[in-house]
């Protein structure tokens, strides 16, 4: 489905950046080659499957009355035209600068300087807001005309990453697609090093993509059990927890499902507040897991140099059993029941 762009505003962002300006498509001509770059970025964010590079933001309605969600809603309803000025451009530029200044406030000395692009676009008859934070080092700043800050295609095309390597971007609202079923207000994509500041600047609660969230929660529950009993989750308990999450079918698993799984694997040691505290400490207080993109296998490490990898579905008594030592001799027993065996030597 084609993405059409109706307006662009951009401004430099950085922790201690000296430059302070904003430019928009009202005052500069943005040719088709440049528009194609941004269309591809926005399309990549919308279509990106549920991977560890993806996150979802959720606004708190009580805290965002008149706040950032209100800004995004206002931009989303504007009537802008790349070909001519309109009354909405003044406000569009004002809100775009507000967003850039807010992003600056979340960046620190470790954050890369760059440019924040605020884009009003449309897909399938629905307007949306795209936010792209693209890094431009000193050598690459030639993408901007020195006097006008107008974008230059040849340099821009060479300086910016390919769409599949997009540094930081987001769309409001979230579009559902064949490979993405998570619900939320903002979809984030960070193909470089994921940074909390890019999500934090919008002031919404965030949750990881399903794979990362499931892995984090399983590890958190395992640590919780170890604190309580001295032993990690067993393979069978991991399988039991996974079965609770996948039992939601075509729906999205939420905090309630995590608590049900925790009750089953922790038994009498289950405490609701302890599980809530664990989720908060792991930055996963808002659980949204699409079972189709939850982990499919588990790797068990013995003495850090022996690994047993198996599908989670195999973690049952009749296919894979791992018995922990019952004495101090450190002897583990691994029993695997299978119908065939292939050997391979790996480097």
């Amino acid at each position: 489905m084609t993405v059409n762009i109706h307006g662009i505003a951009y401004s430099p962002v950085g922790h201690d950046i000296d430059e302070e300006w904003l430019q928009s498509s009202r005052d500069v001509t943005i040719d088709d080659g440049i528009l194609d770059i941004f269309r591809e970025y926005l399309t990549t964010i919308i279509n990106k499957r549920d991977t560890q590079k993806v996150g979802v933001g959720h606004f708190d309605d009580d805290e965002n009355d008149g706040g950032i969600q209100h800004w995004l809603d206002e931009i989303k309803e504007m009537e802008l035209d790349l070909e001519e000025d309109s009354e909405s451009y003044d406000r569009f530029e004002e809100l775009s600068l507000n967003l850039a200044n807010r992003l600056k406030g979340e960046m620190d000395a470790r954050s890369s300087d760059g440019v924040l692009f605020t884009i009003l676009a449309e897909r399938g008859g629905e307007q949306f807001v795209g936010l792209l934070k693209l890094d431009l080092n000193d050598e690459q700043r030639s993408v901007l005309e020195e006097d006008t800050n107008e974008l230059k295609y040849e340099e821009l095309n060479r300086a910016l990453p390919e769409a599949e390597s997009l540094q930081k971007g987001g769309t409001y609202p979230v579009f559902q697609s064949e490979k993405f079923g998570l619900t939320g207000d903002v979809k984030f994509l960070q193909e470089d090093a994921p940074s909390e500041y890019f999500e934090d600047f919008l002031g919404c609660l965030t949750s990881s993509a399903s794979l990362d969230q499931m892995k984090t929660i399983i590890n958190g529950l395992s640590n919780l059990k170890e604190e309580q009993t001295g032993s990690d989750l067993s393979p069978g308990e991991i399988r039991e927890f996974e079965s609770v999450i996948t039992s939601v079918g075509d729906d999205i698993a939420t905090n309630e499902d995590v608590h049900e799984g925790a009750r089953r694997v922790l038994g009498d040691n289950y405490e609701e507040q302890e599980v809530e505290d664990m989720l908060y400490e792991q930055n996963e207080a808002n659980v949204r897991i699409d079972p189709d993109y939850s982990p499919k296998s588990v790797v068990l490490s013995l003495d850090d140099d022996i690994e047993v990898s198996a599908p989670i579905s195999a973690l049952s008594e009749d296919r894979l059993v791992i018995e922990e030592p019952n004495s101090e001799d450190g002897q583990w027993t691994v029993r695997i029941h299978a119908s065939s065996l292939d050997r391979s030597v790996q480097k």
Side-chain angles (χ1 to χ4, degrees):
M1 194 172 291
T2 303
V3 168
N4 295 313
I5 294 176
H6 301 309
I8 300 177
Y10 50 98
S11 181
V13 290
H15 168 62
D16 195 24
I17 197 165
D18 294 330
E19 297 175 274
E20 187 164 340
W21 49 263
L22 181 133
Q23 188 61 273
S24 81
S25 49
R26 164 166 64 177
D27 298 318
V28 300
T29 300
I30 301 179
D31 65 36
D32 288 339
I34 295 174
L35 290 176
D36 285 342
I37 293 175
F38 290 116
R39 287 191 192 102
E40 194 169 356
Y41 281 147
L42 296 174
T43 300
T44 297
I45 298 171
I46 292 170
N47 293 337
K48 190 69 173 183
R49 66 182 293 257
D50 191 358
T51 73
Q52 61 183 357
K53 301 294 187 179
V54 172
V56 179
H58 311 266
F59 286 115
D60 185 330
D61 294 335
D62 294 333
E63 296 181 4
N64 277 279
D65 184 23
I68 294 181
Q69 187 177 17
H70 181 77
W71 295 351
L72 297 176
D73 281 329
E74 191 174 347
I75 293 174
K76 187 165 68 74
E77 299 303 319
M78 288 179 176
E79 294 184 5
L80 299 178
D81 193 325
L82 287 170
E83 304 298 328
E84 59 185 45
D85 193 358
S86 74
E87 295 179 358
S88 297
Y89 261 108
D90 285 340
R91 183 61 174 161
F92 177 60
E93 292 177 355
E94 179 184 355
L95 293 176
S96 300
L97 187 57
N98 288 349
L99 290 167
N101 287 334
R102 204 182 147 85
L103 179 57
K104 288 180 187 178
E106 293 292 339
M107 299 172 72
D108 59 28
R110 297 168 298 176
S111 309
S112 301
D113 292 352
V115 176
L116 179 69
F117 292 85
T118 302
I119 303 172
L120 175 63
E122 173 264 325
R123 174 183 180 269
E126 181 179 357
Q127 291 201 150
F128 68 96
V129 181
L131 298 168
L132 305 173
K133 189 264 181 175
L134 304 175
D135 299 346
L136 304 176
N137 61 34
D138 291 340
E139 290 74 21
Q140 294 171 337
R141 288 193 180 278
S142 61
V143 301
L144 303 172
E145 291 283 2
E146 186 174 352
D147 296 327
T148 66
N149 290 321
E150 187 168 357
L151 300 170
K152 297 191 293 183
Y153 171 72
E154 291 297 335
E155 289 79 2
L156 192 71
N157 189 44
R158 184 172 62 248
L160 295 182
E162 296 293 327
E164 60 268 20
S165 302
L166 177 64
Q167 291 152 343
K168 302 184 188 304
T171 61
Y172 172 85
V174 174
F175 287 96
Q176 300 292 304
S177 66
E178 181 182 352
K179 296 182 179 180
F180 192 83
L182 292 183
T183 56
D185 296 308
V186 183
K187 182 179 181 181
F188 295 99
L189 173 60
Q190 301 190 67
E191 286 289 2
D192 60 350
S195 304
E196 289 185 8
Y197 77 81
F198 184 68
E199 299 176 350
D200 289 347
F201 96 99
L202 288 184
C204 52
L205 300 173
T206 58
S207 56
S208 308
S210 299
L211 178 62
D212 262 12
Q213 198 166 45
M214 183 81 159
K215 288 162 56 178
T216 299
I217 292 171
I218 289 175
N219 289 334
L221 288 174
S222 189
N223 293 336
L224 191 56
K225 185 190 175 190
E226 184 178 21
E227 292 173 5
Q228 296 169 340
T229 67
S231 61
D232 299 330
L233 291 181
S234 69
E237 288 167 337
I238 293 175
R239 171 66 174 132
E240 177 72 9
F241 181 79
E242 185 263 353
S243 69
V244 173
I245 298 302
T246 57
S247 68
V248 302
D250 294 332
D251 292 331
I252 301 297
T254 64
N255 291 61
E256 183 178 349
D257 301 298
V258 169
H259 278 282
E260 175 58 29
R263 285 188 193 94
R264 296 195 192 181
V265 300
L266 298 179
D268 293 339
N269 293 312
Y270 167 77
E271 292 288 344
E272 181 179 356
Q273 191 57 51
E274 287 186 350
V275 174
E276 278 298 309
D277 291 343
M278 179 274 292
L279 292 174
Y280 179 80
E281 290 167 2
Q282 299 290 339
N283 295 317
E284 299 295 359
N286 194 36
V287 176
R288 294 287 189 276
I289 298 175
D290 185 337
D292 289 339
Y293 297 100
S294 61
K296 298 297 185 288
S297 63
V298 63
V299 177
L300 306 167
S301 296
L302 306 174
D303 292 340
D304 294 329
D305 60 355
I306 299 175
E307 292 186 345
V308 179
S309 177
I312 289 181
S313 59
L315 300 183
S316 57
E317 293 183 0
D318 62 336
R319 296 194 62 195
L320 176 65
V321 178
I322 299 179
E323 296 179 358
E324 299 183 20
N326 54 15
S327 63
E328 295 182 358
D329 62 7
Q331 179 175 321
W332 291 72
T333 301
V334 180
R335 296 203 308 272
I336 302 172
H337 295 260
S339 59
S340 62
L341 173 66
D342 290 327
R343 296 181 177 84
S344 64
V345 178
Q346 298 180 357
K347 183 176 180 180

